[in-house]
Amino acid sequence: KNNKYMNTIIEKITEGSSLVIKDKPYKVLGKALYATQSEPEITYAKVLLEEHNVLVLIPSDNIIYLGHNEGRIPEFDSFKKTVRFAGKEFKQVAHDYQLVSRVEFGSLLDVEGEVEFWDYEADDSIVSVAVVSRNKERADIVAKYLSLSDIEVH
């Protein structure tokens, strides 16, 4: 069930590496592994990139997305089952609590940490609405799904 190739990509991303995602270069600032309260045995990676971007790799579900941390997106304040945003109807597909499994590198205060999150999907887009446990600030991510072929590790 676990995507071995995706796990290889996750392992290749080390301190000092850079990524080229859809022909755009990104400097890697940190990487952490996470699990959720509902599935604590399944880990996934979040790679912190420059300019508030984040790459999320979830091998168990064969999901990859690249997003930008927008802080708080007011349209999602209601946490309703469907939310109209950016001209699209987003449907809530998950509500869970993220636990830090391991910080591989990067600042403990910069990687996301523990959050309560609500994931919303529309077409090829995802909005992950997050409330950071440490400071109660929002860290909402607006992202697009990718495939492994979109990513090069340098």
Side-chain angles (χ1 to χ4, degrees):
K1 184 177 179 196
N2 224 339
N3 186 320
K4 285 184 175 41
Y5 187 63
M6 194 184 303
N7 282 322
T8 303
I9 295 280
I10 292 169
E11 286 166 23
K12 279 185 181 172
I13 300 170
T14 56
E15 198 158 6
S17 63
S18 61
L19 300 179
V20 176
I21 303 171
K22 289 199 161 190
D23 301 321
K24 186 177 187 302
Y26 294 89
K27 186 176 167 201
V28 175
L29 305 177
K31 178 174 83 172
L33 300 180
Y34 299 92
T36 59
Q37 182 173 280
S38 66
E39 296 182 303
E41 69 289 346
I42 297 173
T43 59
Y44 55 96
K46 286 191 177 181
V47 181
L48 184 65
L49 305 170
E50 61 191 329
E51 296 172 11
H52 306 287
N53 291 299
V54 63
L55 177 68
V56 179
L57 300 112
I58 310 170
S60 62
D61 294 330
N62 201 27
I63 290 173
I64 305 169
Y65 61 83
L66 173 67
H68 186 264
N69 186 335
E70 302 287 340
R72 175 178 158 262
I73 302 172
E75 286 88 338
F76 289 90
D77 286 353
S78 66
F79 304 101
K80 287 183 177 153
K81 293 293 177 204
T82 60
V83 174
R84 189 126 188 99
F85 173 70
K88 294 180 183 176
E89 189 78 22
F90 282 82
K91 288 186 175 34
Q92 190 183 121
V93 293
H95 173 213
D96 210 332
Y97 192 82
Q98 171 178 280
L99 307 162
V100 179
S101 176
R102 183 170 74 241
V103 174
E104 302 240 322
F105 62 91
S107 161
L108 281 169
L109 296 178
D110 289 340
V111 298
E112 196 171 61
E114 292 195 4
V115 300
E116 183 174 7
F117 68 89
W118 295 258
D119 286 348
Y120 292 83
E121 283 181 337
D123 306 324
D124 65 341
S125 301
I126 180 168
V127 174
S128 188
V129 177
V131 177
V132 180
S133 298
R134 178 174 54 83
N135 56 17
K136 302 300 180 229
E137 287 179 9
R138 289 272 288 278
D140 299 353
I141 305 288
V142 176
K144 290 249 187 258
Y145 288 110
L146 299 173
S147 61
L148 280 173
S149 59
D150 295 328
I151 303 167
E152 294 170 42
V153 182
H154 296 278

